[in-house]
């Protein structure tokens, strides 16, 4: 068999194996029975149509809580708890936005269309290992996509959506 043909076959084998491996190991997002926070300190600004809303962990955690056990590529490995971003987007009337802009404390920013948010299980995490997340440890709020854990650990491009220290969400 020629070398280029063997290379091609090798590549094809790898391409079929990768989704198999990740589907076996993908982290799950499941309902959490954690008790919602009562901390009223504002942690997140939501802007929509010139309105501005300041939300606390208590406000955010008033939505159904979910958890996922995963390894974040920045280091932390354990239980992330928070709310589903699709549920949050619906709750705050952001479903009709053309796009949602997420802004971090370090000015890093990402854009997600509402349909992208609905297509995947994004977790807006408010806790790590049951505790609030300090600002210097990716907190107080960060986005993780448990089903993409293996892909991002492997350096996949969707890791750019794992924005940490989110301070603002804007409907644009
Ligand atoms: N708040 C914040 N989140 C962020 C980033 C950042 O600079 N700030 N970098 C993003 C990008 S581009 C990638 S690839 C991953 C990993 O970033 P790092 O390689 O700078 O650690 O985190 C994403 N989330
Ligand atoms: Mo990046």
């Amino acid at each position: 068999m020629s070398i280029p043909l063997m290379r091609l076959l090798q590549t094809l084998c790898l391409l079929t194996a990768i989704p198999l491996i990740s589907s076996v190991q993908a982290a799950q997002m499941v309902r959490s029975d954690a008790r919602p926070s009562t901390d009223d300190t504002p942690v997140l600004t939501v802007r929509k149509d010139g309105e501005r809303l300041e939300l606390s962990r208590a406000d955010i955690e008033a939505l159904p809580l979910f958890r996922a056990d995963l390894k974040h590529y920045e280091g932390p490995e354990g239980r992330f708890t928070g709310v589903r971003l699709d549920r949050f987007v619906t709750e705050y009337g952001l479903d009709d936005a053309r796009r949602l802009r997420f802004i971090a404390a370090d000015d890093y920013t990402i854009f997600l269309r509402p349909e992208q948010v609905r297509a995947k299980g994004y977790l807006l995490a408010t806790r790590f290992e049951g505790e609030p997340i300090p600002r210097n440890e990716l907190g107080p709020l960060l986005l993780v996509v448990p089903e993409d854990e293996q892909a991002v650990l492997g350096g996949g491009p969707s890791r750019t959506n794992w924005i940490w220290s989110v301070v603002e969400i804007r409907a644009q």
Side-chain angles (χ1 to χ4, degrees):
M1 202 185 295
S2 70
I3 304 272
L5 189 56
M6 276 174 63
R7 283 271 155 74
L8 180 66
L9 284 175
Q10 272 176 358
T11 312
L12 283 175
C13 285
L14 269 176
L15 285 178
T16 29
I18 288 166
L20 278 177
I21 296 166
S22 19
S23 67
V24 170
Q25 298 184 341
Q28 300 282 320
M29 183 156 62
V30 295
R31 272 305 299 268
S32 158
D33 54 13
R35 207 147 10 108
S37 168
T38 54
D39 186 342
D40 283 326
T41 317
V43 288
L44 180 69
T45 304
V46 174
R47 285 183 200 269
K48 182 199 165 197
D49 303 331
E51 288 169 48
R52 177 200 167 109
L53 207 59
E54 298 291 344
L55 301 182
S56 63
R57 279 180 60 239
D59 295 323
I60 298 168
E61 292 191 359
L63 296 176
L65 289 174
F66 285 79
R67 60 179 162 81
D69 295 332
L70 60 86
K71 179 169 171 55
H72 194 290
Y73 55 79
E74 288 291 318
E77 179 170 12
R79 177 158 298 178
F80 289 88
T81 305
V83 301
R84 290 190 58 109
L85 187 61
D86 49 5
R87 183 71 172 73
F88 179 94
V89 162
T90 304
E91 181 73 17
Y92 289 96
L94 307 174
D95 270 305
D96 296 332
R98 193 167 55 87
R99 59 182 192 173
L100 299 171
R101 179 175 181 187
F102 296 75
I103 305 169
D106 62 353
D107 291 332
Y108 178 78
T109 193
I110 62 164
F111 296 90
L112 292 174
R113 281 172 286 108
E115 58 267 31
Q116 280 178 284
V117 171
R118 290 189 291 268
K120 265 195 185 173
Y122 289 85
L123 180 67
L124 179 61
T126 51
R127 303 180 192 204
F128 177 64
E129 296 288 85
E131 299 297 328
I133 314 165
R135 162 80 174 86
N136 62 357
E137 291 169 23
L138 313 179
L141 300 173
L142 70 151
L143 268 192
V144 296
V145 188
E147 68 197 77
D148 284 347
E149 177 193 16
Q150 294 306 319
V152 302
L153 284 174
S158 59
R159 60 160 63 193
T160 53
N161 286 340
W162 291 41
I163 180 173
W164 59 82
S165 302
V166 186
V167 292
E168 185 167 325
I169 301 177
R170 276 188 208 168
Q172 296 193 326

